[in-house]
């Protein structure tokens, strides 16, 4: 059975991100290898992964090598650091699908790189990346940056469990009660 996962902001090959986000790796090689292992520990070959941007700072050949080692059917939503390369560049590197804009998933989840403005009266959840270790409070945002999930993609089931728990804690039934 196929499981759907979400993740963002791997920044493969980006040395400075280790300092900016206090990533616990000695160098980019260790970071890259650890994140590949974490991905494959969570994701099976038949699973689907939505990567919500800022995948790699490496050239096409090195990016392609990493993508070929990662399990799953991979869809990229371009992040701010991905946009310097064309959609076709990312497809040639190994993503099965690439979107320049956000995607609506299951009519209720807005998948974007950067968080969108959302208020508690909006009946959607914005699944996003971009803000790394930061986090928005409330039921309308869900940060899938690798820093929050031990460098592993997070399953849709886990997202639903967390959102349901948040709803129960806050008593805000607006976000999830209609699904």
């Amino acid at each position: 059975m196929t499981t759907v996962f979400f993740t963002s902001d791997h920044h493969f090959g980006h040395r400075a991100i280790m300092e900016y986000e206090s990533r616990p790796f000695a160098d980019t090689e260790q970071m890259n290898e650890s994140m590949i292992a974490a991905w494959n520990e969570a994701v099976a070959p038949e699973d689907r992964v939505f990567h919500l941007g800022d995948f790699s700072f490496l050239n096409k050949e090195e990016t392609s090598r990493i993508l070929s080692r990662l399990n799953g059917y991979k869809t990229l939503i371009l992040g701010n650091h991905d946009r310097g390369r064309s959609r076709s560049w990312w497809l040639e590197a190994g993503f099965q699908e690439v979107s320049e804009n956000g995607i609506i998933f299951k009519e209720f989840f807005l998948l974007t790189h950067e968080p969108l403005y959302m208020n508690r009266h909006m009946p959607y959840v914005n699944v996003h990346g971009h803000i790394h270790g930061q986090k928005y409070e409330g039921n309308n945002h869900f940060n899938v940056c690798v820093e929050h999930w031990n460098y592993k993609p997070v399953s849709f089931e886990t997202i639903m469990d967390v959102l349901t728990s948040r709803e129960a804690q806050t008593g805000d039934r607006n976000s999830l009660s209609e699904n």
Side-chain angles (χ1 to χ4, degrees), residues 103-104 107-112 114-128 136-143 163 166 172 174-176:
I103 295 173
I104 297 174
E107 300 179 19
F108 185 73
F109 297 88
L110 306 174
L111 310 180
T112 61
E114 295 183 31
L116 300 175
Y117 168 76
M118 305 289 290
N119 69 47
R120 63 183 211 87
H121 302 292
M122 297 172 141
Y124 304 103
V125 174
N126 178 207
V127 180
H128 64 84
Y136 286 132
E137 296 299 320
N139 294 340
N140 295 92
H141 288 96
F142 197 95
N143 185 348
L163 291 172
R166 281 186 198 167
D172 183 359
N174 187 46
S175 293
L176 300 172

Side-chain angles (χ1 to χ4, degrees), residues 152-165:
K152 294 180 183 180
V154 59
S155 71
F156 182 65
E157 181 180 325
T158 298
I159 291 173
M160 288 303 297
D161 289 347
V162 169
L163 291 172
T164 301
S165 175

